[in-house]
Amino acid sequence: MKVDYTNIGLENLDKYEEKALKSFDTLMDGSGEGADFLGWVDRPINYDKEEFERIKKAAAKIQANSDVLVSIGIGGSYLGIKAVDFALDNYFGSNKKVKIIYAGHQLSGQYMSELLDYLKDKDYSLNVISKSGTTTEPAIAFRFLKEALEEKYGKEEAKSRIYATTDRQKGALKDLATKEGYETFVVPDDIGGRFSVISAVGLLPLAASGVDIDEFMAGFETGRKKYTNRNFNNNDAIKYAAIRNMLYENGKDIEVLVNYEPKLQYTAEWWKQLFAESEGKDGKGIFPASVNNSTDLHSLGQMIQDGKRNVFETVLEIENYDRDIDIKEDIDNLDGLNYLAGKSLNYVNKQAMEGTTIAHVKGNVPNIRLLIENVSAKTLAELFYFFEITVGVSGYMLGINPFNQPGVEEYKTQMFKLLGKPGYEEK
């Protein structure tokens, strides 16, 4: 991965170097708030090798007896998996060994009813992912899906098709898994949800779908080698964090992550959670948004080009595609497109990106470009690690704890009060 800062004015960046390096030191030496959740930093080299092999065996078992794996989780227990799964799958007709279906990431009765109908004639397994086992959305989904699985296969076989990724020692889901005899995997105590795709949270469902998790871990290790060195000019994660904060202090308080390849749509969704939950505290933070271009150039493009000048963009550019197609000449040329004859569609897409960049920069929208060699398990993992180091440094530069999310609890309190949950009547 490479970072292109051509379209960012860097004249004042040296003013942020010392602060960025100090924040990087805080991250790396574990001296800042939230240090209990830094297990992801060295995870690429010190992960549990025994559990890693158990994950591979469980994945092979799922592949042998299931067409579908229902991954039950929300937030960090969902978005990282979906980002990789969606990026590496075919658009039309899955190329995966096992199709991952997602549940527990919302509360739609329509969705759950249709999912239960869909599963009736499928062989499937469940992977319920929850540290506590009591998070509302996945807990409700698991209740429905467990009942359906037991009705389909009987209680004994159903047990062998349920995999619980949860706390190592305690919690409602851990207790249930022990009682029922489900195979369990660990949600690490020292890795927050939005960083957890590197753990069993992400590795089991991805391995079951056919992702090479050795390559995935190798990508994280590459990221660790590149983005944990204390060198401002040779560590793009530190430099990117400094640039983001420089732009923020100059009134650019919305960052738009841009892609020109729809396979990266859910990578942007994962990124939005990472930065929103990490930075959005104490009245501070850069608001993370995303667009899928060129589609959104025909909707949000107007706002980005001509709206309030508080926006900057980070563009994900893929350098090499697996597939492409050339535009042919048409004798009648009624659509006026013969000037494109002989050019590939990916070439046209790249020119759309270049033209948009020129237009937006002229419109005072600073533009950072992240160049990714291709879309693979390894490159996605490196990209994830890059963003994770960045958000740690950036959060400490803002003066907040990047590793908690206290605001998430408020909606739950008000929801539980409305639902009549015992203990919430007066809150």
Side-chain angles (χ1 to χ4, degrees):
M1 196 186 81
K2 296 174 287 187
V3 187
D4 182 352
Y5 304 108
T6 303
N7 294 306
I8 297 288
L10 301 180
E11 299 83 7
N12 297 318
L13 186 61
D14 58 336
K15 297 179 182 178
Y16 295 83
E17 180 175 345
E18 182 179 352
K19 186 177 181 180
L21 287 171
K22 184 177 180 180
S23 296
F24 176 76
D25 291 339
T26 300
L27 176 68
M28 297 308 296
D29 65 22
S31 61
E33 287 188 292
D36 290 344
F37 292 95
L38 292 177
W40 55 273
V41 173
D42 290 327
R43 186 80 174 192
I45 59 170
N46 67 8
Y47 59 92
D48 185 332
K49 309 300 190 298
E50 181 181 345
E51 184 184 55
F52 196 76
E53 292 306 312
R54 281 204 305 118
I55 287 170
K56 290 181 179 179
K57 290 178 181 178
K61 179 183 171 185
I62 294 167
Q63 290 169 1
N65 68 11
S66 300
D67 305 309
V68 171
L69 175 66
V70 185
S71 179
I72 305 168
I74 195 167
S77 299
Y78 154 67
L79 285 167
I81 305 163
K82 180 74 171 180
V84 180
D85 176 42
F86 189 79
L88 300 184
D89 205 356
N90 285 340
Y91 284 118
F92 309 102
S94 179
N95 64 355
K96 297 302 183 66
K97 293 181 179 180
V98 172
K99 182 177 178 64
I100 305 178
I101 297 290
Y102 298 89
H105 56 292
Q106 29 78 349
L107 291 167
S108 167
Q110 181 80 22
Y111 184 97
M112 180 54 68
S113 297
E114 292 185 15
L115 174 57
L116 292 170
D117 286 344
Y118 171 83
L119 292 171
K120 284 178 180 177
D121 61 351
K122 300 288 190 301
D123 280 319
Y124 67 99
S125 297
L126 307 179
N127 178 205
V128 55
I129 306 166
S130 175
K131 190 165 180 62
S132 66
T134 58
T135 303
T136 306
E137 294 90 342
I140 290 174
F142 183 50
R143 178 177 286 202
F144 281 114
L145 289 159
K146 175 175 173 288
E147 180 183 22
L149 192 76
E150 291 175 347
E151 287 179 0
K152 183 179 180 72
Y153 294 105
K155 195 170 179 65
E156 286 305 310
E157 184 178 346
K159 289 179 183 180
S160 70
R161 290 175 174 269
I162 297 175
Y163 302 84
T165 306
T166 188
D167 190 87
R168 186 184 299 275
Q169 296 180 323
K170 63 184 186 299
L173 181 56
K174 175 61 177 176
D175 292 345
L176 178 64
T178 300
K179 176 185 174 184
E180 298 292 341
Y182 305 151
E183 184 168 6
T184 61
F185 298 91
V186 175
V187 177
D189 290 332
D190 59 354
I191 299 179
R194 53 193 177 274
F195 298 83
S196 66
V197 71
I198 195 175
S199 72
V201 169
L203 296 176
L204 176 58
L206 292 175
S209 75
V211 173
D212 185 336
I213 59 173
D214 288 301
E215 283 294 296
F216 193 53
M217 292 299 289
F220 278 106
E221 186 173 359
T222 297
R224 183 181 175 278
K225 289 176 181 175
K226 290 174 66 173
Y227 306 121
T228 59
N229 74 86
R230 193 187 188 279
N231 187 313
F232 186 78
N233 290 316
N234 291 323
N235 185 333
D236 281 316
I238 303 175
K239 195 170 183 179
Y240 178 47
I243 289 171
R244 294 178 76 255
N245 279 265
M246 178 184 72
L247 293 170
Y248 178 60
E249 290 189 3
N250 283 279
K252 304 294 187 181
D253 57 8
I254 297 175
E255 179 177 13
V256 181
L257 189 69
V258 184
N259 75 74
Y260 287 80
E261 173 51 58
K263 283 185 179 291
L264 298 178
Q265 177 180 347
Y266 282 92
T267 299
E269 296 302 316
W270 169 85
W271 173 88
K272 284 191 285 191
Q273 186 207 7
L274 178 70
F275 279 84
E277 285 195 350
S278 297
E279 291 191 330
K281 293 153 201 170
D282 301 334
K284 301 176 183 178
I286 300 169
F287 188 92
S290 65
V291 293
N292 303 301
N293 288 345
S294 63
T295 302
D296 288 335
L297 290 174
H298 298 262
S299 57
L300 294 174
Q302 173 63 41
M303 175 63 76
I304 294 169
Q305 184 70 51
D306 284 340
K308 188 175 179 181
R309 300 296 77 195
N310 61 340
V311 177
F312 70 97
E313 292 179 309
T314 296
V315 180
L316 301 178
E317 178 182 353
I318 299 167
E319 296 190 282
N320 299 300
Y321 286 85
D322 291 334
R323 301 182 66 174
D324 200 355
I325 188 168
D326 290 340
I327 299 169
K328 296 179 181 178
E329 187 168 358
D330 183 85
I331 295 175
D332 295 326
N333 195 30
L334 295 177
D335 52 17
L337 293 178
N338 275 356
Y339 75 99
L340 296 176
K343 296 180 172 64
S344 77
L345 196 52
N346 284 338
Y347 172 82
V348 175
N349 196 29
K350 182 175 175 58
Q351 302 319 302
M353 180 190 70
E354 297 290 355
T356 303
T357 298
I358 293 168
H360 287 182
V361 171
K362 286 178 66 176
N364 192 23
V365 179
N367 188 288
I368 303 164
R369 189 173 296 183
L370 306 183
L371 295 94
I372 309 163
E373 181 181 356
N374 54 28
V375 179
S376 67
K378 191 171 184 178
T379 57
L380 287 170
E382 182 188 336
L383 179 67
F384 287 179
Y385 196 89
F386 167 83
F387 280 135
E388 288 167 357
I389 290 291
T390 294
V391 83
V393 175
S394 185
Y396 286 133
M397 290 185 75
L398 286 171
I400 53 93
N401 176 356
F403 303 110
N404 66 354
Q405 54 279 341
V408 173
E409 299 306 313
E410 180 60 25
Y411 95 86
K412 295 179 184 178
T413 298
Q414 299 306 322
M415 178 180 70
F416 292 151
K417 183 177 179 180
L418 291 170
L419 289 170
K421 185 175 181 177
Y424 283 80
E425 297 86 350
E426 303 302 322
K427 293 188 179 183

